[in-house]
Amino acid sequence: MAKKEESGQSLNQIKTSTNIVFNVIFFILAVMCVIPLLFVFSISITDETALRTNGYQFIPSKFSSSAYQFLWNERIMILRAAFMSVLVTVVGTIIAIALDTSMGYVVSRRNFKLKRLYTWLIFIPMVFNGGMLASYVVVNNILGLSNTIWALILPLACSSFSVTICRTFFRTTVPDSIIESAKIDGAGQFRIWTQIVMPISKPVIATIGMFAAFGYWNDWFQASLYIQDKNLQTLQSLLNNIQKNIEYIANNPYGGLSLQQYKLAMPTESVRMAIAIVIILPIACTYPFFQKYFISGLTIGSVKE
């Protein structure tokens, strides 16, 4: 028996050379992910004249904060849009976690009679969808959510992929014996889900929560479809509109004198990169706090002991 265990351990061991190769590969991949972000930041702090003369450079030949000054001059509007983005992201993520985990828990129970039907209802949207026109008709005409915050939250609130992750997690992690014991003690399904299942589901909650938060934070398309009220604009939608206006002003040779003066005084390329940094930085800073649970939530259930 001891010999079998030793042989099994020797098979599972990774050679030093293989470990070095893997470390080098992962280091290269990490550098490939970080360099574009640093390059974008470098362009955002480059003087606009230097960009026109020398093009994009990793190390700026002339530094300038004009792009961030331009965004700072629009800070009231940007801060209002940032607050709306944070509100939509927080509320939407909470709703998404509640919907995805509850549905995943239901279809993970082997004795649920409609499990096969609900499984197909979850699987089909992963392959097919009604398209943008059908979504617009439902959200705008049937539900009447246009120009409301719910138009930014509800269309992205439930994900078939996240439900599938939750189902796999609950099926491999929450044994039927715990559920049966809770039923014998008189607990209902809602109480079992809230007081027993959810407290031991931090990895999967962090995983689908990160997916939902990224989706809500990076989304600008819903606002462009359903939001006309400037007070309900999200940060991504606002900055996208700013970028479009920059492109319009930069490519409009027939504007008046004041427009042309504004065009010459306004950075274009550096502002685009500064907009990207403003959008990326807040959500990127939150990832390290959830990394532990995020990785375990993705891998749990993939290997069964």
Side-chain angles (χ1 to χ4, degrees):
M1 188 69 181
K3 291 182 178 179
K4 289 183 179 180
E5 290 180 357
E6 290 178 0
S7 62
Q9 290 177 358
S10 63
L11 290 174
N12 290 329
Q13 289 179 352
I14 299 177
K15 296 180 180 180
T16 304
S17 58
T18 305
N19 195 20
I20 293 175
V21 171
F22 283 155
N23 287 331
V24 171
I25 291 174
F26 288 132
F27 177 77
I28 294 173
L29 293 175
V31 171
M32 290 173 63
C33 294
V34 173
I35 284 180
L37 180 61
L38 295 177
F39 190 51
V40 169
F41 177 72
S42 175
I43 297 172
S44 70
I45 59 174
T46 303
D47 182 73
E48 194 70 22
T49 304
L51 283 175
R52 296 193 191 99
T53 305
N54 304 320
Y56 294 159
Q57 292 180 330
F58 195 86
I59 300 178
S61 57
K62 184 178 180 181
F63 291 90
S64 175
S65 60
S66 58
Y68 293 96
Q69 290 176 359
F70 175 80
L71 296 180
W72 176 255
N73 293 334
E74 307 291 338
R75 61 186 179 277
I76 296 177
M77 183 170 53
I78 290 176
L79 288 175
R80 183 177 63 233
F83 171 77
M84 183 59 59
S85 287
V86 171
L87 179 63
V88 169
T89 301
V90 171
V91 175
T93 301
I94 293 173
I95 294 176
I97 290 174
L99 293 177
D100 294 336
T101 54
S102 59
M103 189 177 298
Y105 168 71
V106 168
V107 296
S108 69
R109 297 303 92 195
R110 293 180 174 85
N111 57 352
F112 180 55
K113 295 181 180 179
L114 300 178
K115 181 182 69 174
R116 179 170 295 183
L117 173 63
Y118 283 150
T119 300
W120 278 107
L121 292 178
I122 294 168
F123 173 74
I124 290 175
M126 293 179 65
V127 183
F128 308 101
N129 63 73
M132 185 178 67
L133 180 59
S135 301
Y136 182 83
V137 170
V138 171
V139 175
N140 187 68
N141 298 348
I142 298 177
L143 298 179
L145 299 179
S146 181
N147 261 340
T148 66
I149 190 174
W150 299 111
L152 305 175
I153 295 176
L154 294 184
L156 305 177
C158 190
S159 167
S160 297
F161 180 69
S162 298
V163 173
T164 303
I165 293 177
C166 293
R167 182 193 63 178
T168 304
F169 179 88
F170 294 141
R171 182 174 293 175
T172 57
T173 306
V174 181
D176 293 333
S177 57
I178 295 179
I179 307 300
E180 295 300 327
S181 300
K183 288 181 180 179
I184 292 173
D185 292 337
Q189 289 293 345
F190 184 76
R191 186 177 180 184
I192 294 173
W193 174 63
T194 54
Q195 297 185 9
I196 297 177
V197 176
M198 295 299 285
I200 62 175
S201 303
K202 290 181 181 179
V204 75
I205 291 174
T207 301
I208 64 174
M210 285 295 295
F211 286 149
F214 282 145
Y216 280 113
W217 181 262
N218 294 323
D219 179 66
W220 58 270
F221 189 64
Q222 306 297 323
S224 66
L225 282 179
Y226 307 117
I227 302 300
Q228 289 80 40
D229 188 354
K230 294 182 178 179
N231 295 323
L232 295 177
Q233 273 193 330
T234 60
L235 180 63
Q236 291 70 22
S237 175
L238 174 64
L239 296 182
N240 183 56
N241 291 336
I242 291 176
Q243 180 171 333
K244 287 181 179 179
N245 291 332
I246 289 174
E247 292 175 355
Y248 171 76
I249 293 173
N251 296 320
N252 181 17
Y254 302 105
L257 180 61
S258 60
L259 183 64
Q260 291 299 321
Q261 290 175 345
Y262 183 66
K263 169 194 168 183
L264 294 175
M266 180 187 63
T268 55
E269 294 298 325
S270 57
V271 167
R272 292 189 180 96
M273 302 306 171
I275 289 172
I277 294 296
V278 169
I279 292 176
I280 292 171
L281 196 59
I283 197 67
C285 292
T286 62
Y287 177 75
F289 298 100
F290 297 95
Q291 183 180 9
K292 175 183 175 182
Y293 295 115
F294 182 75
I295 294 174
S296 60
L298 283 177
T299 57
I300 195 160
S302 59
V303 179
K304 216 172 179 182
E305 296 181 358

